[in-house]
Amino acid sequence: MALGVDGEEKSHDPVGLFRKAQGIDDMAARSDENEEEEEEDDEEDDEPRLKYASLTKSQGPVYRNGDATSAFLVAGDKMIIGTHNGNIHVLLLPSFQSLRSYRPHSASITGVSISPFPPPLPTATPEVLNRVAVEPRSHPARVPTFQDAASPSAKSPRQMPVPATPSNSIHIATSSIDGNVCISSLIDSKDVLLRNFGRPVQAVAISPEYRNDRSYISGGLAGNLVLTVGGRPGISSTSNTTGSAAATASGWLGTIGLGTNNGTDTVLHSGEGSIGAIKWSLSGKYIVWVNEQGIKIMRSNLNLQSSETDFAWKRISHIDRPNLSGWEEMAGLWKARLEWIDEDGLELDDEENTESDIAEVKNGVAASIASTDVQSIRQAADSKRVEKLIVGWGGTIWIINVQPGGTSVGKESVERKVGLVEVVTMYAPETITSSSLLTVRRLRTDCIISGVSLYTPKLLLVLAYLTPEEDQKNRDSNSQQGTPRRGVHRRQNALQPEMRIIDIATKEEVCVADTLKVSRFQSLSATDYHLGVLPLIKTSTKVVTQRGALEVIGGIGGGLWDVTRDATMYPTRLFGSAASVRSSGSNSDLQSGKAASGLTTDINVATFRGQGAHPDIMTRGMKIFIQSPYDCVLATKPTIADHLSWLEVHERFEEAWNLINVHPEAASLLPERATDSSPGTPTKAQASLVEFFADDSSQTTSSQTRNSNSQAEKEKRRLGERWLQQLVKNRDWTRAGQVAGQVLGTSSSWEHWVSVFAEVNKFQEITPYIPTVQLQPPLPSQVYEVILGHYISNDRPRLDEVLESWSPELFDVHRIIARIEGKLKVGDVREDTFEDGTAGRDWHILMKNLAKLYLADGRAKDALRCYIKLQDADAAMTLISDYRLVEAISDDLPGLILLRISKEQQKSAPLTELEEASIEPIRLLVDEAHHGTVRPETVISQLEHRSGMLPYLFFYLRALWNGDTYTAPTSPSLDHPSPKSVNLAATEGKSLVNDHADLAVSLFAEYDRSLFFTFLKSSQSYTLEKASTICDSRQYIPELVYLLAKEGRTKQALSIIIDKIADVSQAIAFAKEQDDPDLWDDLLDYSMNKPSFIRGLLEEVGTSINPITLVRRIPESLEIEGLRQGLSRMIREYELQDSISEGVARVLRGEVAMGMNTLRTGQKRGVKFEIVHQARPASRHSNKNHIHLKERPKVIKPGHCAGCGDAFFEDDSNGNRDAAEKQTLVGYPCAHIFHLSCLLTYTTENNDLPDGEEGTTSYRDGSIGPKIRHASRLKDKIGGCPVNVHKEDKM
């Protein structure tokens, strides 16, 4: 909120604390008011690159007693402000709490510098942080002066001590027009130096290492660049450059050690007019200052290598001021603005992507190197680093690159350069040459530069001071004050300052300049404005443990409190330290708990906001401060929420909706609306800092994510509604319908907007986007019914499309059916009406959709009637198959069969076309016949006597005979029915056809002769006489011959073959088939007067009849062509037959001989059996008695008789032959061995032994004859093994 001239708050415009440059100054004269308004409207379409917020109220103590600011510096977490009354105020950021206020000067302060710069990162403990940020600090009625600090006994209000933290351990150097330079420690009020230079000092730059070298550089109207080293704290001294006797004596005595050490002053440069600005570089290597002749750059005494000691305080380069009119008079009055740029702290260009992860990796690698190596690497890198300097002076801007020098070859020796300077300027039509022999191009502007810096690597940030054009032309030295003055300035016609962003490459402004609202701008000069920047600072994980709570929140200036960036870009940095709520993982190097301080979750955002911190200062990105004597304005990069608000204010609802759709987190950053907030939902200020700044991955709960998503959805709906309202207002109904489908998500909103479209008859625009899936709560069915009712009456083709995509569950089917039936009954939509040149188009559409609705309502029979009327065979057949509706239409089977057949086809189409068109219903009827639903009798009764239906009856009977059943289109067995099912259906179908065999005979004979003959051979149910009559009438001779033969009239059949067919081959085949000798005689009798038949008989009869009989019956006087060849062929056949017979006989004889040889070989082969080697039992019975005492063994053991089970014995060891077996043993190839007596009694009781068995001595003496005779008798007596024979009988 900006302050007006009277100090009261002014209302701000919707886009923030700024307005566009053109058309905002009411005090400036404009020639054309209408043109001004048009330009303003056009410019409002450009989104601002920066957003602005007033911080004036946060600096209330600064303006106490009517004081006004004259100097300004912001760095780290400190804001230091110098005033016209000579006061210094040190404020803590972001809370803007006063750390210290003191008065080192008696007049306006002209410059402020701090050491070190940038200051250390804050490392305050939580207790100190809470005390500094939360406790209100008292403001004394009178600000302490230098004399108060120097005199401990002086009575002055006591301020609270500043916490002695590293970030507070800084020294503040100030210069003033009172001729003094004051160096004061922030934490130690006694560590203060005051040095008087006799003339107004306009600039001071304290050494970055002041704590060690106690040096600083100053300059002013005297024109001397003075280096001051040393001095006693608490003592006010006079510079020895003033020329006074006391100062000269003090300096001379001090040099010889006799006087007090009040410091020494050295003039580094002089003689080129007053010095307006001095600044040390960020590395401390270089010093830049500006006097009336130009810009000077010098090498300092810091960070010198061992070989560079002679470079200290040597000038590197000089850049002349522009040689243009007005500069001679104004060079000393225009205050130069110097800014050394930290390029790592710039905002990223829009097309660039952050490389923070790479930087983190690099830092992690560097952390693993030894400290000495790290230091040497850093020194080497720093020594080669190019430092960028931005200088704004008058209306010109220089971009300067400063880098260490190298060596150059002179005429006689090699020279070493202190440094190199490359100057880049823009917008200058002429070219001049600098003292460094480098080309210089100037950037000239239409303003006076009050502040300059880099915003991104490609964009320049300029704080522009403006005056009316007529005053620009008449500018003189009296119109601009060289130094700030208290009270009312002479100038009363200045314009409001502007913030400009310039593209360095194109040299053009990237957007229209933003005009800043500040108080009393008419009376301010260019020197009254100051620009301060807190850059982004990206620190590595290595130093996280050394950072304090505030830096953990976001990093100093990257800003400080830039928690959104830290949470999203540096999650490792935020949660990898001991100051985080929880560790980032085991791979972190910071889990040792060695951090000096940490941030606990009880510090929340409300702490800072309640103490004056503006919400914008808590946002991400670079912080840009614009300070005027009476106001402080903060400029930051607009957040995504700001972008969203800007889009909404400018009624760019489409972009706003898409933005929140892609980035739903933007909704959570918007101010909470009363309609969207609930008492139980915690606000942002109630969340802890870690939870507030962390990204989604670091949250411990999902409640905030859910709340954000919920808020995002609400915001999307709200923006969507406004987007729709805008489109409807512009009557863009087509786009509005598309957007409705995209943004509407509730049933109430859909109901409202459908009614809006319906009121203006814009059904076509909204219908495609209405939800086709039921919402929760559901959308009322009347919404859908209104649209369907419109299309039923006005647009039937569109009705077809809508019903195709809408589920019947969305609307009341009964009502829509009633509407369509009513429309058909009215009669204005009929089958013969024409629409767009098509007969019955709308009637077909209504009937088809009526059938679908019938199905949705469960009325399948009504739907089937609709499809039959439409002759939609596919739908009808599918419906009949799915719902088994054949029986429902069994009274009109011809209509079912003729679904795919038109009247023209019935008259002229060939049988194959009719068959293809009717195959599906025919097979369906066959399938129903198998199920018994529609019997063949029903089909025959409706088709047999109906004109033109006999072909379809034939198709039916044939399909029934072949088993061609219907298969539904969705059946997986459509192309591959199982053979078993086909055979079963064919068998059952043949049985059904046999019940109507005579009808089948007549139809098959009419339409399919091959099937007719097959049926005659397969069926036994038809009447032979009727079939013969049909064959005789149609001259189907083969079929008639078959039937005559089947009746037993073979002679008549043979006569027909001979007389009508005259085919001797068929006659012979018929005679062979019948195998009747009398029929052969008849064939011979019929053939004797036909030479061709006789020759055929000779060639083909073969051996079926006696050839002698055939030859003898040939008439002697009959001339037969080819008789010789016929006889030769017959003889060859008989010779061949004889040869085959002989060959078969030879083969048979050979096989018999082989079998006999095998038999004899087997008979000659011995049989192996085991003998028991043990003494014969004494109680051994005689051969004839022991057989009956033994039972047949169940298990036949080796070496035992298979009949009695006794073991076989041989002679004992003493040669006693009485112990050996006395009976003859008989062995078989199957390894079964029998006593001869046991073998004879195994299957019969006849145990009479053959002669010679009892008297064994007759053939045991070695004679052969008895053995042969005995074996011959045994062969006749015994057969094969009785054990195996017995097993085969059981099997």
Side-chain angles (χ1 to χ4, degrees), residues 330 333 475-481 490-491:
M330 302 302 296
L333 301 179
R475 181 183 306 161
D476 52 37
S477 59
N478 295 327
S479 63
Q480 180 74 32
Q481 296 296 325
R490 298 177 185 178
R491 180 172 299 281

Side-chain angles (χ1 to χ4, degrees), residues 149-165:
S151 177
S153 62
K155 297 181 180 179
S156 62
R158 184 177 182 83
Q159 298 187 66
M160 294 183 61
V162 178
T165 62

Side-chain angles (χ1 to χ4, degrees), residues 106 150 159 225 236 241 406 487 491 504 562 665 782 800 818 879 954 1034 1036 1101 1126-1127 1144 1146 1186 1210 1213 1226:
S106 60
Q159 298 187 66
L225 183 69
S236 176
T241 62
R491 180 172 299 281
I504 298 175
D562 180 9
E665 66 275 9
Q782 291 81 358
D800 190 27
L879 197 60
F954 157 70
R1034 293 181 177 274
Y1036 290 169
V1101 73
L1127 291 173
V1144 171
R1146 285 195 298 270
H1186 84 281
E1210 62 179 353
S1213 61
V1226 181

Side-chain angles (χ1 to χ4, degrees), residues 45 80 93 127 146 159 270 303 312 703 707 783 791 826 971 1119 1182:
D45 294 335
I80 303 173
L93 298 179
E127 294 78 8
F146 173 78
Q159 298 187 66
S270 64
N303 300 322
S703 60
N707 293 338
V783 174
Y791 288 132
V826 170
S971 174
E1119 182 178 353
S1182 64

Side-chain angles (χ1 to χ4, degrees), residues 18 20 46-52 349-350 455-456 459 501 503 510-512 514 636-638:
F18 65 89
K20 298 304 177 179
D46 296 331
E47 184 176 4
R49 288 295 189 100
L50 298 172
K51 70 170 182 176
Y52 302 86
D349 289 306
D350 294 338
Y455 183 54
T456 71
L459 298 179
I501 300 178
D503 191 310
V510 298
C511 60
V512 178
D514 299 330
T636 57
K637 183 178 181 179

Side-chain angles (χ1 to χ4, degrees), residues 327-338:
W327 274 86
E328 184 70 27
E329 298 82 6
M330 302 302 296
L333 301 179
W334 286 332
K335 184 177 180 62
R337 310 292 177 160
L338 308 177

